[in-house]
Amino acid sequence: MKLTMPRFDSAPVLVVGDVMLDRYWHGPTHRISPEAPVPVVKVEQIEDRPGGAGNVALNIAALGAPAWLVGVTGDDEAGLSLKQRLNAAGVYCAFQAHPGKTTITKLRVMSRHQQLIRLDFEEPFKTDGDALLESVRGLLGGVKVMILSDYGKGALVNHQALIALGREHGIPVLADPKGKDFSIYRGATLITPNLSEFEAVVGHCSSEQMLVDKGMALIEELDLEAMLVTRSEQGMTLLRRGEAAMHLPARAREVFDVTGAGDTVISTLATALAAGESLPHAVGLSTLAAGIVIGKLGTAAVSAPELRRAVQREQGSERGVLGMEQLLQAVEDARAHGERIVFTNGCFDIIHAGHVGYLEEARSLGDRLIVAINDDASVSRLKGPGRPINSVERRMAVLAGLGAVDWVISFAEDTPEKLLAEVKPDVLVKGGDYSVDQVVGAPIVQAYGGEVKVLNFVESCSTTAIVEKIRQR
């Protein structure tokens, strides 16, 4: 399955569920307490992050999609901090703030990237289910997917009414379930239990076939359209009515923290569906996103540039020969990571030592090097009959194999000016005995504040000289 990166800016998603604040106290430990055999942490940094349904909404916003969040908090400092951080991230919050109640807060004491202890502050809420339902009803007209983010903390007291409301508006309802009673999610479009949650309901699965059989039976029993079972290091299994089971492997990488990985899965899945992706493609993107987030410490969100880079790695387009659309996406992603783009162009008919040294020097001027080469017809016009010696495909393949080169693209015009106007590199580099004002495309680059550099080839190296020497033999 070939994954693509969709546009998320017109993919609004509504999250309804249990919001909480994840608070982190960070500091070094240098001694053991004289009062008890525990480390003493000198707290130097306090960090607040949205957790639970808040983290789901935060992940949606981080992908660049509009996000709405309906939930319940206390009328306290933690609730205010939670709302401020979500609003700052672009999440619209419609909270029931209960006076005299405590916002659910999970305090983690961290030292040297290790969690030493977690302290939970929470008390039961009496959610006004009708008021919450009305808040949701008022927002459904502007969203494309609804998520029920259930942590069993009491915000969701009327699952069936919410699911019915979503169906009434023709909006897919995705549920991240909690507990052993999955009947409360009956009629949802899709649920996303992890393996332990799934087996707590259907019993132990000793084989993949048993998992599939029990999963399909549960889909029928609960009138679901699909189910995604997340299986940690075994990846994910997507089950759908009338379709073969789809097993997606986990993305192998160093695991720092699985906190919030389930939130990332359902948020990416919902946002991709809202953007018009098919369910299998949406699940594929969710797998990539999960692989990114478990490499981070604590509750964290995956950004669109991070996901796009993962998609590019999947496509093999993180480096190598690219088309125009791929190149523009790669450049956008590189800039989002603060990388400096260098651009050079030429025929590069026979790659020689002069080219290699020149390209290495060009690459040293930034973080990413684009090499644009004239196509065959363009080379013939510039160099005359008999050129190029090597076809454009062969020339691009050789250049893509050089360590200094990130991306290679061809162009049909005699000059790269059209390409420069599209890509807008930070640095335009040309090799040879030129002044800056003689470099083709220099005015284009200088007009938006870019730099133009002239580098020298290795002395006595040129393709023309090599070709002439061969002809004389």
Side-chain angles (χ1 to χ4, degrees):
M1 178 175 63
K2 184 177 180 180
L3 295 177
T4 56
M5 183 69 177
R7 291 186 62 92
F8 292 131
D9 53 2
S10 58
V13 179
L14 170 63
V15 183
V16 187
D18 297 299
V19 296
M20 55 194 78
L21 181 67
D22 286 326
R23 178 162 282 170
Y24 296 83
W25 288 1
H26 298 271
T29 57
H30 299 296
R31 61 192 178 94
I32 300 298
S33 170
E35 303 165 3
V38 295
V40 175
V41 179
K42 183 178 181 294
V43 177
E44 295 181 345
Q45 179 188 2
I46 297 175
E47 181 184 11
D48 287 350
R49 302 179 188 175
N55 187 46
V56 176
L58 191 66
N59 271 268
I60 293 165
L63 290 171
W68 283 263
L69 175 60
V70 176
V72 181
T73 68
D75 187 10
D76 57 4
E77 177 272 334
L80 180 61
S81 176
L82 184 60
K83 188 170 185 177
Q84 286 175 339
R85 276 153 181 76
L86 287 164
N87 287 162
V91 178
Y92 171 79
C93 300
F95 290 161
Q96 291 182 20
H98 288 235
K101 295 293 184 179
T102 301
T103 298
I104 298 171
T105 302
K106 296 180 180 180
L107 170 60
R108 298 171 175 90
V109 181
M110 313 289 296
S111 184
R112 300 177 183 178
H113 301 296
Q114 300 263 335
Q115 184 178 148
L116 301 183
I117 191 171
R118 192 182 95 181
L119 299 91
D120 287 4
F121 303 86
E122 63 178 278
E123 56 183 285
F125 282 107
K126 187 176 181 182
T127 302
D128 185 338
D130 291 337
L132 186 140
L133 195 64
E134 285 308 304
S135 293
V136 171
R137 190 188 304 275
L139 295 170
L140 279 183
V143 302
K144 295 182 178 178
V145 176
M146 177 166 63
I147 296 174
L148 303 184
S149 182
D150 194 351
Y151 277 78
K153 304 297 184 182
L156 295 174
V157 294
N158 48 1
H159 300 73
Q160 284 298 291
L162 289 165
I163 291 168
L165 193 58
R167 283 193 160 189
E168 179 186 320
H169 284 76
I171 293 172
V173 180
L174 280 53
D176 189 1
K178 198 72 173 177
K180 295 183 179 181
D181 182 12
F182 280 12
S183 66
I184 57 177
Y185 309 107
R186 186 182 308 278
T189 307
L190 176 144
I191 62 174
T192 60
N194 61 37
L195 184 59
S196 62
E197 291 167 339
F198 177 75
E199 289 186 328
V201 173
V202 303
H204 176 64
C205 298
S206 58
S207 66
E208 286 199 345
Q209 188 57 52
M210 184 178 291
L211 183 149
V212 171
D213 291 343
K214 290 186 175 183
M216 293 305 296
L218 193 59
I219 286 174
E220 291 296 327
E221 179 187 338
L222 299 180
D223 190 26
L224 308 173
E225 291 183 21
M227 181 186 306
L228 179 65
V229 183
T230 57
R231 304 169 60 191
S232 189
E233 71 278 359
Q234 294 177 298
M236 303 182 191
T237 296
L238 175 63
L239 304 174
R240 294 169 289 166
R241 288 174 178 265
E243 301 282 351
M246 183 177 172
H247 302 287
L248 292 92
R251 294 299 188 252
R253 61 172 299 159
E254 187 173 1
V255 176
F256 292 115
D257 196 342
V258 297
T259 305
D263 296 340
T264 298
V265 168
I266 197 166
S267 59
T268 307
L269 178 62
T271 309
L273 290 174
E277 292 292 305
S278 67
L279 183 54
H281 281 80
V283 171
L285 290 168
S286 299
T287 305
L288 290 181
I292 297 168
V293 81
I294 62 176
K296 300 182 178 186
L297 186 64
T299 306
V302 174
S303 68
E306 288 175 310
L307 184 57
R308 186 181 298 113
R309 180 159 289 190
V311 170
Q312 289 170 353
R313 281 197 298 268
E314 195 78 5
Q315 294 173 332
S317 61
E318 189 181 33
R319 295 184 76 249
V321 176
L322 303 183
M324 189 60 194
E325 186 176 345
Q326 286 179 307
L327 178 62
L328 291 176
Q329 286 187 348
V331 168
E332 180 185 349
D333 170 70
R335 286 207 168 99
H337 284 81
E339 294 176 341
R340 183 174 166 90
I341 309 299
V342 183
F343 181 105
T344 192
N345 65 280
C347 297
F348 295 97
D349 194 359
I350 297 177
I351 306 298
H352 51 69
H355 287 135
V356 175
Y358 163 74
L359 292 172
E360 288 176 347
E361 190 176 354
R363 179 64 164 75
S364 72
L365 298 174
D367 302 293
R368 294 283 188 168
L369 176 61
I370 301 169
V371 180
I373 69 171
N374 298 78
D375 71 4
D376 293 345
S378 177
V379 173
S380 293
R381 291 194 299 271
L382 294 170
K383 300 294 184 180
R387 300 286 298 274
I389 304 298
N390 290 298
S391 68
V392 65
E393 291 82 9
R394 290 182 178 182
R395 288 182 282 133
M396 288 196 295
V398 173
L399 285 165
L402 297 178
V405 177
D406 290 284
W407 302 306
V408 184
I409 189 169
S410 66
F411 60 95
E413 299 80 15
D414 290 348
T415 74
E417 291 175 312
K418 182 179 178 182
L419 197 54
L420 285 168
E422 289 273 357
V423 175
K424 293 183 172 60
D426 300 293
V427 187
L428 169 62
V429 179
K430 191 64 180 175
D433 187 17
Y434 298 96
S435 62
V436 168
D437 58 2
Q438 291 176 315
V439 175
V440 174
I444 296 172
V445 176
Q446 291 170 328
Y448 59 76
E451 295 181 58
V452 180
K453 300 280 189 180
V454 177
L455 306 178
N456 291 322
F457 283 134
V458 174
E459 190 176 352
S460 76
C461 280
S462 79
T463 301
T464 301
I466 292 171
V467 171
E468 191 59 35
K469 189 172 182 179
I470 293 171
R471 285 173 175 167
Q472 289 174 359
R473 290 187 173 181

